[in-house]
Amino acid sequence: MEFANSKTCYELKDHGVIHRPASEGPWNAEIFKKDFRVDIITEGEDLDVMEFDMVNVDCSFANAVRRILVSEVPSLAIERVYLNQNTSIMPDEVMCHRFGLIPLAVDPKYFMFPSKKPPSSDEIGGFDPKEHLVYDIHVAFTTPIKDPHGKKTKENTQEGSLPVPQYLSVYSSDLKWIPLPGQEEHFSENNAPLPVSSTILINKIALGDEIEARCVAVKGIGRDHAKFSPVAAAYYKLHPIIKLLQPIEGELAVKLQKSFAPGVIGINPTTGQAFVANARLDNGSREHMRHSEFRDDVVFAGMDSSHCIFTVETIAPGCRPPASLVRCAFDVMISKCCHYLAVIETPGFGDHIEEECKPFTGSGDTASESQTTEKCLTSAKGNRSQLNGREVGLEVAHVSRDKLRATFIFHGEDHTLGLALRYCVLRNQLVNFCGYCVPHPLEDMINFDIQMKRGSAIDALRDGLQCLHDCFKHIKQTFKSALKSSRSTRK
């Protein structure tokens, strides 16, 4: 007996995974809206972690949500430290780095991305209330501690014994928020923008040491630095598929049960027959494949490629619960699509290609070569703009005369947009080929190529962006509805 898969899935084998595609019908945003579903599984009592399912969705969409959660949902972190005094054993740059890694319980909606670098001076008047959060710290260890360990021992009371080392711990609670003009309207004593925890150890200073600094936090995203990532964990896995293709009873049932994670396989107490109790608990183990009794025609183990189990854990439970971060991730993708759709609708987009930039050879008219180089650099940056705190842009690198083939350059983008957009473009029946690549890991851009059977490649890109926009807008609405229903049920 074989397992007949109605959906595309992956089958686990002894030494690999087999892709088992199902027959694919037509797909568009309207069909996606009918089939897509969100199930809220758990939401922590402290609102620090949640688990939810996205059903009937492609992995490219799920992976985009994961990548945005990790690297593109904004948060605030200490970026500049004006260190006035540090006589501790810890080097200045190490301690400044530790300041930056302290997570802050601040909602970034009250702040804008920094428009310029922080001022060179730490004068309070030089900071922008809409861009900066200021903290002061001043800790000095001047008075010896009589009994630093809280008790006396023979070792530290015997004559001639070494003195007990004395130190003072510096914690995140020593950071004091300095309100800038207008910030007290958004924050109060009960809602002050303080570190997530007051017991984060920053340093330990010896007797006579002193630390004095002014720290400035700004808004940023995880793509710039990991300290701006608002999640402690954000990952997904494919829902396991376990099917018993033949009856398994008695000792074999017990043997099969032990081959899987606890709770996956159950045994009927009356008949002694094994059954799949909860495939969700499976961790992809292949233990049962070691036994010849459970060969392929007896047990099928695989994963549903259209059913993603998400787990999201926030670093600031009280301020930014996981559900709000997930909604922000949807908004980021929607804003990307809206931005590039607006660029495509710009008059003249794709009508002509800038002349090719010739490399500087050092011969001929130097002034002419300099003007050509300057013109190319200007045209390359001519349509750049700011989106989510980063410089982005969309250009047509090449288009054929019949407009059947075109290569686009997305500046400031990576696999997050590329993979999901490629999925939508390929569902267009007029598209013959669609692919993208990241030219170099150090270049923040992707080359996106479309080849058509007929029609315009630019129109196909527009339709793909619109489809992606509509899908994520529906995902956001479905998630909000599922969350509301789940919370009302728990009450």
Side-chain angles (χ1 to χ4, degrees), residues 144-177:
I145 301 175
K146 295 182 179 180
D147 188 13
H149 295 284
K151 61 180 180 179
K152 294 183 178 181
T153 61
K154 294 182 179 180
E155 288 76 7
N156 59 25
T157 55
Q158 288 180 351
E159 185 177 353
S161 62
L162 294 174
V164 177
Q166 297 191 17
Y167 58 84
L168 181 67
S169 297
V170 181
Y171 293 101
S172 54
S173 58
D174 294 313
L175 284 169
K176 307 301 179 184
W177 171 50

Side-chain angles (χ1 to χ4, degrees), residues 142-296:
T142 57
T143 305
I145 301 175
K146 295 182 179 180
D147 188 13
H149 295 284
K151 61 180 180 179
K152 294 183 178 181
T153 61
K154 294 182 179 180
E155 288 76 7
N156 59 25
T157 55
Q158 288 180 351
E159 185 177 353
S161 62
L162 294 174
V164 177
Q166 297 191 17
Y167 58 84
L168 181 67
S169 297
V170 181
Y171 293 101
S172 54
S173 58
D174 294 313
L175 284 169
K176 307 301 179 184
W177 171 50
I178 308 300
L180 296 178
Q183 290 186 347
E184 292 179 329
E185 298 177 2
H186 303 298
F187 305 104
S188 60
E189 293 184 1
N190 299 329
N191 188 31
L194 300 176
V196 170
S197 173
S198 61
T199 58
I200 299 175
L201 183 62
I202 300 175
N203 198 354
K204 289 186 177 183
I205 58 177
L207 185 63
D209 285 345
E210 182 181 6
I211 295 175
E212 184 179 3
R214 170 159 287 176
C215 306
V216 181
V218 299
K219 186 176 180 178
I221 58 176
R223 288 184 68 178
D224 296 329
H225 195 285
K227 66 184 178 183
F228 290 110
S229 182
V231 293
Y235 59 91
Y236 73 93
K237 68 174 184 177
L238 301 181
H239 194 288
I241 301 175
I242 300 175
K243 300 289 184 180
L244 304 185
L245 306 180
Q246 294 183 11
I248 302 176
E249 303 174 347
E251 295 182 358
L252 284 180
V254 177
K255 190 175 184 179
L256 179 66
Q257 187 181 48
K258 293 180 179 179
S259 299
F260 285 90
V264 176
I265 302 296
I267 299 178
N268 190 314
T270 305
T271 62
Q273 184 171 326
F275 64 93
V276 180
N278 189 357
R280 186 187 189 88
L281 300 177
D282 182 52
N283 52 16
S285 171
R286 294 179 172 88
E287 176 66 20
H288 69 282
M289 298 180 186
R290 298 177 57 194
H291 310 293
S292 59
E293 302 93 331
F294 309 131
R295 54 191 181 276
D296 295 343

Side-chain angles (χ1 to χ4, degrees), residues 332-350 383 385 387 392-395 408-410 413 417 421 424-425 450 457-473:
V332 169
M333 179 59 83
I334 293 171
S335 65
K336 286 176 182 282
C337 297
C338 290
H339 178 80
Y340 294 121
L341 283 170
V343 173
I344 293 177
E345 297 302 330
T346 303
F349 179 82
N383 61 348
S385 56
L387 177 65
V392 299
L394 173 59
E395 300 174 1
F408 306 92
I409 300 178
F410 286 89
E413 299 294 348
L417 177 68
L421 180 58
C424 291
V425 172
I450 299 177
I458 296 177
D459 291 341
L461 179 65
R462 180 191 295 108
D463 294 342
L465 285 168
Q466 187 63 54
C467 175
L468 185 61
H469 170 273
D470 295 344
C471 288
F472 265 80
K473 203 166 183 179

